């Protein structure tokens, strides 16, 4: 029987597969972005698949993920089979720009009669907690390199600085340009007309049909009835279930387990820190330098691995941890194996640091990247503890022994050391960007100073090589390794059983050392760490990009 594929794109998508049983249980029923894209890629070559229908809206994927899905949908639609998106509403009298942009990747859009099109534009918004800190008795002592490294602004000011506003404004403008271009092309409208409609949104369903934003009004049952009338009787199958079934077919299974050249995929999701990756209490997954380093060393030792694709979704974190991973990336290249970075929604600051040494960097147009800068300092919580009736005292040996205490302010000499250290880190970061990317120091300085760029703007400035998603990164990796795409096997590295993932590594060279810890609650149990999490201070380190921008 013919197959009509279904997609539920109303929920966030996972970037990386769960690394342990607990994380797998928490992520049950959530889709991986790669599974969706790969499933559509397989379906495009399968004559049994007659069409694609997707439910959009709700908590949609990020803008960068949407762009990757749209590309896969357009590739499927190019085979001449119908693609239909339906939604109850694109924002229930609220913002729905990103879900609607996703829907425009399909040939036909249905909207429930009671729904709206909340194509209201893009917001790059920041929160400022300076006065809240003052009321709590918390004194932030932070410095940044340089004016665009605005992760510190939320603690030091009550509004955007001129530099902050300039950078945020360009991020919003770049994202809006991409959305307008995509909507105009898909809906056969002039870009100027799309911008007019944005300024009129939210738009009712009937007005959206008249404006050409939506094709038909109808409920879910009417969408599926229309498709079955057009396609005949067909079996409904979710894309991820279809993909799994195809990979388990005897011919595919034999091909899958045959000894073929490998393109190893190394995932990195979350903030960057020293030690092992983990899923931490009150937090998402993280990137440990030991874990990612072991995965990259394993790829070097595996004779089947011919190239490495690093899939990154990280706002950065620790400078020292980022530097350790940067070194491992160079060692993979020194071993003669090309490294290609595929940036997801964000790969900035430390996330850019571990990317810059790759042979090729691929990003989506809306990926947040760059943020080549540094911010550092501490939050002094003495006033807060005094109000709570808590005091601390002690003795110390060494002039700077109290330097990192959250109970005392920096002395003038200690602050001078902080400033000198930030200068050294910034100089090292920008110097390595220049060397790795083949750019002059003057050009890097103009792109750096802590500024965040979209992938499209970063490509124009030489910080990124190409625009595209994971599949494009794999194509480049195969080409650099001298492989035809069809002869290469793409596999998450390392490939370990659940039992191997749970056992204690024998050494740092053991492949099980490249697996994240299931849970590491101890990292967040101290009072300063808890306050850091509650108030939004960068928890991982000085190479942390602002993560306050939301494209809605």
């Amino acid at each position: 029987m013919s197959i009509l594929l279904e997609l539920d794109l109303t929920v966030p998508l996972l970037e990386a597969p769960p690394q342990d049983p607990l994380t797998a249980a928490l992520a049950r029923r959530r889709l991986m972005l790669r599974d969706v894209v790969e499933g559509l890629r397989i379906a495009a070559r399968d004559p049994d698949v007659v069409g694609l229908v997707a439910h959009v809206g709700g908590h949609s994927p990020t803008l960068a993920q949407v762009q990757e899905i749209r590309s896969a949908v357009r590739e499927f639609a190019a085979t001449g089979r119908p693609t239909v998106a339906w939604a109850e509403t694109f924002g229930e009298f609220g913002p729905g720009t990103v879900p609607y942009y996703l829907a425009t990747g399909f040939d036909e859009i249905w909207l429930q009669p009671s729904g709206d099109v909340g194509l209201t534009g893009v917001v790059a918004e920041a929160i400022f907690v300076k006065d809240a800190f003052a009321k709590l008795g918390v004194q932030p002592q932070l410095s940044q390199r340089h004016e665009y490294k605005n992760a510190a602004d939320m603690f030091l000011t009550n509004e955007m600085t001129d530099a902050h506003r300039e950078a945020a404004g360009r991020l919003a403008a770049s994202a809006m340009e991409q959305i307008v271009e995509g909507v105009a092309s898909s809906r056969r409208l002039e870009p100027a007309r799309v911008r007019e409609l944005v300024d009129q949104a939210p738009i009712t369903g009937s007005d959206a049909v008249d404006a050409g934003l939506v094709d038909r009004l109808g409920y879910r049952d009417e969408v599926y009835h229309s498709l079955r009338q057009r396609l005949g009787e067909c079996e409904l199958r979710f894309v991820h279930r279809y993909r799994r079934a195809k990979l388990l077919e005897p011919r595919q299974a034999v091909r899958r387990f045959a000894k073929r050249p490998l393109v190893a995929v190394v995932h990195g999701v979350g903030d960057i820190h020293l030690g092992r990756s983990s899923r931490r209490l009150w937090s998402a997954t993280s990137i440990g330098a030991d874990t990612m380093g072991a995965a990259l060393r394993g790829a070097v030792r595996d004779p089947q691995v011919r190239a490495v694709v690093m899939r990154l979704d990280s706002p950065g974190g620790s400078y020292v941890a980022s530097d350790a991973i940067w070194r491992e990336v160079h060692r993979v290249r020194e071993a003669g194996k090309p490294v290609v970075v595929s940036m997801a929604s964000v790969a900035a600051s430390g996330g850019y640091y571990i990317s810059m040494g790759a042979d090729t960097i691929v990003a989506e147009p809306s990926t947040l990247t760059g943020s080549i800068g540094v911010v550092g300092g501490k939050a002094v919580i003495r006033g807060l503890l005094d109000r709570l009736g808590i005091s601390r005292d002690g003795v110390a040996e060494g002039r700077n022994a109290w330097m990192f205490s959250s109970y005392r302010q920096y002395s003038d000499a200690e602050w001078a050391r902080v400033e000198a250290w930030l200068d050294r880190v910034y100089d090292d970061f920008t110097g390595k960007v220049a060397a790795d990317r083949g750019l002059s120091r003057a050009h890097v300085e103009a792109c750096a100073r802590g500024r965040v760029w979209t992938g499209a703007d970063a490509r124009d400035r030489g910080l990124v090589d190409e625009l595209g998603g994971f599949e494009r990164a794999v194509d480049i990796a195969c080409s650099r390794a001298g492989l035809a795409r069809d002869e290469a096997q793409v596999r998450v590295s390392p490939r370990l059983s659940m039992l191997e993932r749970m056992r204690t590594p024998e050494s740092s060279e053991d492949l099980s050392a490249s697996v994240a810890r299931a849970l590491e609650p101890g990292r967040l149990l101290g009072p300063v760490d808890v306050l850091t999490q509650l108030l939004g201070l960068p928890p991982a380190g000085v190479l942390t990009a602002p993560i306050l921008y939301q494209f809605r």
Side-chain angles (χ1 to χ4, degrees):
M1 181 180 286
S2 299
I3 298 172
L4 174 60
L5 291 180
E6 285 188 293
L7 268 175
D8 182 0
L9 298 173
T10 63
V11 294
L13 298 175
L14 291 174
E15 275 293 341
Q19 292 290 302
D20 61 88
L22 179 58
T23 306
L26 292 172
R28 195 167 67 91
R29 296 184 180 276
R30 287 186 61 187
L31 298 182
M32 266 192 63
L33 175 63
R34 183 186 166 194
D35 290 348
V36 170
V37 173
E38 186 180 16
L40 292 175
R41 189 166 175 268
I42 294 170
R45 303 190 298 268
D46 186 351
D48 291 334
V49 177
V50 296
L52 171 67
V53 58
H55 183 195
V56 298
H59 300 285
S60 67
T62 67
L63 182 55
Q65 290 176 331
V66 162
Q67 291 175 329
E68 194 153 352
I69 294 168
R70 285 179 96 256
S71 297
V73 170
R74 296 317 305 154
E75 181 181 343
F76 177 84
T79 64
R81 286 166 281 188
T83 58
V84 177
W86 68 276
E88 294 91 352
T89 185
F90 297 106
E92 188 168 3
F93 203 75
T97 300
V98 173
Y100 177 73
Y101 174 56
L102 171 55
T104 62
F106 294 76
D107 293 326
E108 188 176 330
I109 302 175
W110 285 65
L111 179 65
Q112 190 168 294
S114 55
D116 299 309
V117 176
L119 183 62
T120 52
V122 169
V123 174
E125 187 178 27
I127 297 173
F128 300 91
V129 297
K130 177 185 176 182
D131 289 345
F133 267 40
K135 291 178 181 179
L136 289 170
V138 177
Q139 181 184 359
Q141 289 190 291
L142 300 168
S143 187
Q144 60 209 78
R145 298 292 183 277
H146 283 281
E147 68 272 19
Y148 294 108
K149 192 67 175 179
N150 44 56
D153 288 353
M154 69 177 293
F155 311 106
L156 301 177
T157 68
N158 289 319
E159 59 184 13
M160 288 184 174
T161 63
D162 291 342
H164 192 166
R165 190 172 300 279
E166 176 194 350
R170 180 55 205 159
L171 287 175
S174 180
M176 195 62 196
E177 289 164 6
Q178 297 162 33
I179 291 169
V180 168
E181 180 184 357
V183 173
S185 175
S186 299
R187 302 306 299 173
R188 297 177 179 84
L189 299 169
E190 291 297 322
R193 175 57 178 156
V194 175
R195 288 192 178 269
E196 287 177 5
L197 292 169
V198 167
D199 291 338
Q200 295 170 18
I203 300 170
T204 64
S206 58
D207 288 343
V209 173
D210 293 340
L213 295 176
V214 170
D215 296 292
R216 299 177 67 177
L217 299 181
Y219 294 90
R220 179 196 179 279
D221 62 290
E222 294 174 304
V223 176
Y224 282 78
H225 178 70
S226 172
L227 277 167
R228 286 192 167 101
Q229 278 192 322
R230 194 187 325 176
L231 302 173
E233 280 302 316
C234 47
E235 177 188 354
L236 284 175
R237 186 84 61 85
F238 278 121
V239 170
H240 65 288
R241 301 290 296 182
Y242 163 82
R243 169 191 169 275
R244 184 180 303 172
K246 296 298 289 186
L247 293 179
L248 291 176
E249 288 180 352
R251 186 174 56 132
Q252 291 293 335
V254 169
R255 179 174 171 78
R256 188 180 177 191
F257 292 105
K259 282 221 166 199
R260 291 187 289 150
L262 284 177
V263 174
V265 180
V266 176
H267 285 279
V269 177
D271 57 68
I272 301 169
H273 56 84
L274 293 170
R276 293 275 296 279
S277 301
S278 64
R279 186 187 68 78
R280 295 176 293 167
L281 196 62
W282 308 319
S283 185
T285 57
S286 65
I287 303 172
D290 289 353
T291 303
M292 182 163 274
L296 293 170
R297 289 192 295 273
V300 169
R301 293 195 305 271
D302 189 339
Q304 272 188 271
V305 173
R306 299 279 295 278
V308 174
V309 172
M310 291 173 60
R311 176 69 173 184
L312 299 177
D313 193 21
S314 171
S318 163
Y319 159 62
V320 176
S322 299
D323 196 42
I325 297 171
W326 172 87
R327 172 61 181 166
E328 296 294 348
V329 171
H330 274 267
R331 291 191 68 245
V332 176
R333 294 182 62 190
E334 289 166 4
K337 301 183 180 186
V339 180
V340 178
V341 165
S342 172
M343 292 180 169
S345 300
V346 58
S349 202
Y352 187 79
Y353 196 114
I354 65 177
S355 303
M356 63 189 179
D359 293 276
T360 306
I361 300 175
V362 181
E364 289 292 351
S366 65
T367 297
L368 297 180
T369 189
S371 193
I372 302 166
V374 56
V375 58
K378 64 183 179 181
V380 180
I381 61 172
R382 179 167 186 165
L384 174 61
L385 296 183
D386 287 347
R387 292 180 184 184
L388 296 174
I390 301 171
S391 60
R392 297 169 67 175
D393 200 1
V395 295
E397 289 289 335
R399 181 178 299 172
N400 299 312
W402 290 109
M403 181 172 177
F404 302 108
S405 170
S406 61
Y407 196 63
R408 298 171 184 246
Q409 297 182 28
Y410 290 116
S411 67
D412 291 342
E414 289 168 346
W415 185 248
R417 284 178 172 268
V418 171
E419 296 280 20
W421 188 78
L422 294 177
D423 285 336
R424 180 174 67 85
V425 174
Y426 183 75
D427 184 67
D428 185 46
F429 195 171
T430 53
K432 284 174 176 170
V433 173
D436 285 342
R437 302 295 302 163
L439 302 170
S440 70
R441 287 296 290 263
H443 180 84
V444 171
E445 182 65 19
C447 300
R449 306 188 70 81
R451 184 161 181 171
V452 180
W453 302 97
T454 62
D457 286 348
R459 190 269 310 268
D460 293 342
R461 288 158 178 79
L463 301 180
V464 165
D465 295 294
E466 287 198 28
L467 299 181
F470 176 78
E471 292 295 328
R472 179 58 187 150
V474 172
D475 288 342
I476 294 171
C478 289
S479 176
R480 283 188 166 274
L483 299 172
R485 177 63 188 268
D486 289 344
E487 72 173 302
Q489 184 177 0
V490 182
R491 194 171 73 191
V492 173
S493 179
R495 189 174 185 177
L496 301 173
S497 68
M498 193 57 71
L499 183 61
E500 288 174 312
R501 291 178 181 279
M502 295 175 67
R503 74 175 176 82
T504 302
E506 295 291 337
S507 73
S508 61
E509 299 291 333
D510 191 333
L511 280 180
S512 64
S514 62
V515 177
R517 298 181 189 274
L519 185 64
E520 199 171 341
R523 291 177 56 131
L524 298 179
L525 294 183
V528 177
D529 292 324
V530 171
L531 187 66
T532 290
Q533 290 293 305
L534 292 176
L535 298 179
L537 280 165
V542 297
L543 297 189
T544 301
I547 53 175
L548 306 171
Y549 300 123
Q550 298 180 15
F551 298 137
R552 301 178 296 187

